Each structure stands twice: as structure tokens, then as C-alpha cells.
Amino acid sequence: MSTAPLAVVVKGWPRLSETFIAQELVALEAAGHDLALWSLRHPTDTKTHPLHDRLAAPVTYLPEYLHDDRARVWRGWRAACALPGYTLAARLWRSDLLRDRSRNRVRRFGQACVLASELPPGTPAIYAHFLHTPASVARYAAVMLGIPWAFSAHAKDIWTSPDWELREKLATGPGGARFGATCTGFGAAHLRDLAADPGRIDLVYHGLDLTRFPDPPDRAPRAPGSPLRLLSVGRLVEKKGFDRLIAALALLPGWLDWHWVHIGGGALKEQMRAQAEAAGVADRITWKGACDQPEVIAAMRAADLFVLPSRIAADGDRDGLPNVLMEAASQLLPIVSTAVSAIPEFITHTRHGLLVKDRPEDIAEAIVDIASAPDTAAAMAQAAFDRLRSDFAVEPGIARLSARLREMGA
């Protein structure tokens, strides 16, 4: 085993919306792996989760934009030019650039030069979270250094990356990843179809470390006439489908008293609030913004129903298997969601929750069904909790990932 840590490339650290990465890295440290994080971006969230504080690995921030630190980028490039694999890495990058003439592609190579030049001698491998930008930086730097690299793929990185780029990152030849993990069977099947060696792609569910969560509350039946407390957790972006949910809320019958709480930031915040005002439901909505894990858990324990109306965005982006569904299940919270991507890998319709089309009228109907049949809703919540404990524990995935990393000497 190398005395230098495994280099882990991430988009940004820490990020409230990526607890699955923090959970994995903390678990890998507990399994005996020595890690060092290299982040492409500085944090933008003002809060952190307690889980972030448990990670012992040091964090180094690469120049987010090359002009941010021209001297560092220049030094990195000069040093990288002397590395044994620089010529090959530059050739791979130029081939990519011909098909993707973007500033982002130039930035990836500059960050890779800095990374390759600053990694300590003896670094055994590079492991990237997300198969798009972080994996490109990891790939170029690993080729420069002549060391293996691997990745964990999730959702947007799979579905918005061009097939040519995925194929080359999944190749067995120069620049190809030693292995790849992805968190859904849906995503794994797609990557295996593109991979030169499908056996290099592992399905590794993130799972949920239930030791981080309290036992579920004793959920008494909702009092007659009390409001139905709806909760959603997710960024305000197109693929989460909250525009469809707001339209659905406006369709709920007058006899149903309800209030919706949303947790999460996102680029569409003002657009969603304007939509709620126009629909006449703004006074029944609480926008809490980004929250840390204890705040999220408290909101789940106080809610009656969790709603996540995920859909496929115009650019092809979509969810994988959102961890918030498992978190909701951990608190015996009934779930309404959609049969998009890998969500049916955890939720079976009418057994563990309700899965509907992402049409407002279907979402509204499911909410009314839950409100009208509390015993059935409670039974589905219990079934989801039982499945979470039996099939989606974090330990099996970490064991598989740990074994793969040790094969690379990390």
C-alpha cells in the first residue's frame, strides 16, 4: 500500500445537496483508507452537515477559474510538462477539445496540470465523484502521472455527457478508468452498454447509514380537520419537478387543509415563488431554503407526507435514486414520487409509496389518496422503512468500493 493518500476529486466541498458523497468518504476512512480531497470549486453553502465535520481528510482547492491564480496554473503547467504521461494527456485533451470547444474543457486541463503537479509523490490513484468535469480532471492528471483512476457516477453526469466522452472514459485503453461505480441499476445498465469491459462497472447503491438518524417517531393518526403537512427536500431545478407540484397544489380540493414546506436552494427559486403567487397558493407554502441534516430530519419528523415529483429535464438531466427518499423512509414518512430513472428501484407503487406520472393532476390525486387513507399510507411507510433496512444499508456498497480501491493500491 502507498504511504500517500488516495486523491479524491470532487466538484465542491462541502455541499449540502451531496450528503451521499460525505457519507461515502467518511465510511471509507472508517474502513482504513487514507484520503485527500481536491475540490474544483469553493463552497457556496453557508451551512454544513455534522457529517462533514467527521471527515479527517485535508481539502485542497484547485483554481476554480484559471485566471483566479495565473501564477499557480503556470507553475502547474510547467511542472506537468515534465511528467512522463504529459504528451499522451495533452493528445487526449486536444482530441476532446476538437469535439467540445468550450472554456470548461480548457479549464479542466489547466486544473489537471495543477493537480498532477501538486499531488504528493507516491499517490496511488485518483478517484473522482461525478463522471463529467471531475472525472475529466482526474483522467488527464492520472495519465500525466501514469497512475490509475476511477470514478463514481450519479445522475446528471451520466445523462448529459455525450456518448463519445463516456465511451472514452470507459475504455480499456489509454485514459480509460480502472473501474467505475454508479448508484442505480438504471445508470449501471447504460454505462455497461457503453463500456469496453462491462465488468468494470459496479452497481453500488449509496444506501443510508441509519446510525446517523434517530429511530422513527411514533406517528399517531392525523387529527380530523388538522392540516396535511407536506414536505419536499431538493434543489429548485427543473429535474426536481417542483413546478409540477405547485400546479398540483392549486388543484387540491377545498375540503383538504394543507401546508407545504420546501427545503433547498436552487436557481429557480424566484420563478417558483412567482408561480405559487400566480396560482394563489403562496400563503400555504413555507420556503425554508438550504438546511443542515438535523433541520431536515426535524422537518421530516413533523411532516405527514413527503413529495418528490422528479422528472426528466429538457437537457436530459434526471435524478438517480435521491437519498432524500431513503431519509424520508427512515422516519416512516409516506412518500409520493414519480417513476423516473431509478426511483422504482426503491419504491414499488402502492407497496412502499405512490409513484405517479409527473402531471399535476396525477400528483394532486396521489396527495388526496394519502390524505384519505391514513392506514394505507402508514402501511406503505412501514414497508419502505423495512426495505430500507433490509436492502439499502450502506455497508455492502462501501465494502465493494473499498475492495476496488485496494486493488488500485489505495
Side-chain angles (χ1 to χ4, degrees), residues 109-381:
F109 191 74
Q111 289 177 317
C113 288
V114 175
L115 175 63
S117 67
E118 294 185 1
L119 283 175
T123 294
I126 304 176
Y127 172 58
H129 261 285
F130 290 101
L131 190 46
H132 50 2
T133 303
S136 292
V137 174
R139 178 188 185 222
Y140 300 143
V143 170
M144 292 177 196
L145 291 164
I147 61 176
W149 73 280
F151 65 85
S152 182
H154 303 291
K156 180 177 182 178
D157 50 329
I158 298 174
W159 304 110
T160 64
S161 295
D163 283 355
W164 65 261
E165 183 168 5
L166 294 177
R167 284 194 180 93
E168 291 179 13
K169 287 175 176 174
L170 300 172
T172 55
R178 180 69 61 87
F179 78 88
T182 190
C183 52
T184 68
F186 188 67
H190 182 66
L191 293 180
R192 285 169 181 159
D193 284 344
L194 297 172
D197 177 5
R200 293 191 181 192
I201 305 300
D202 287 345
L203 169 58
V204 178
Y205 286 116
H206 295 309
L208 203 65
D209 179 4
L210 288 173
T211 64
R212 297 193 292 110
F213 293 82
D215 291 336
D218 182 12
R219 292 191 176 275
R222 186 166 56 91
S226 62
L228 181 71
R229 299 166 296 182
L230 308 169
L231 175 68
S232 299
V233 180
R235 290 176 298 129
L236 292 168
V237 295
E238 183 183 3
K239 71 177 179 180
K240 296 297 183 181
F242 292 127
D243 57 333
R244 307 289 171 85
L245 177 54
I246 293 170
L249 295 176
L251 298 176
L252 292 176
W255 59 261
L256 181 60
D257 188 9
W258 59 270
H259 189 87
W260 179 47
V261 173
H262 175 269
I263 292 176
L268 300 181
K269 178 176 66 175
E270 296 306 322
Q271 179 178 322
M272 296 294 180
R273 294 192 180 199
Q275 180 186 350
E277 289 282 355
V281 297
D283 60 341
R284 289 184 165 198
I285 298 175
T286 298
W287 305 95
K288 293 182 71 70
C291 293
D292 60 27
Q293 192 77 65
E295 292 172 312
V296 172
I297 294 172
M300 287 180 170
R301 294 172 72 85
D304 299 308
L305 174 61
F306 190 83
V307 187
L308 186 67
S310 301
R311 64 189 181 94
I312 300 175
D315 65 355
D317 190 13
R318 67 200 74 181
D319 274 328
L321 175 53
N323 265 36
V324 289
L325 293 177
M326 290 183 277
E327 292 172 8
S330 80
Q331 300 306 302
L332 284 178
L333 189 55
I335 293 168
V336 168
S337 191
T338 52
V340 168
S341 191
I343 292 174
E345 294 178 35
F346 177 56
I347 301 293
T348 301
H349 180 56
T350 71
R351 183 176 179 187
H352 309 106
L354 298 182
L355 298 184
V356 299
K357 295 181 179 179
D358 63 0
R359 300 184 305 185
E361 54 269 32
D362 293 333
I363 298 169
E365 182 179 353
I367 293 172
V368 172
D369 287 346
I370 291 289
S372 303
D375 291 343
T376 300
M380 290 189 294

Side-chain angles (χ1 to χ4, degrees), residues 378-398:
M380 290 189 294
Q382 183 65 55
F385 178 72
D386 293 342
R387 185 166 198 217
L388 171 65
R389 290 195 301 178
S390 63
D391 298 339
F392 286 86
V394 70
E395 291 81 8
I398 292 299

Side-chain angles (χ1 to χ4, degrees), residues 29-54:
E29 285 191 332
H33 294 273
D34 187 16
L35 310 177
L37 269 60
W38 294 78
S39 178
L40 307 186
R41 301 175 184 170
H42 288 269
T44 56
D45 296 319
T46 58
K47 298 180 179 181
T48 61
H49 295 308
L51 189 61
H52 292 126
D53 298 330
R54 292 173 54 187

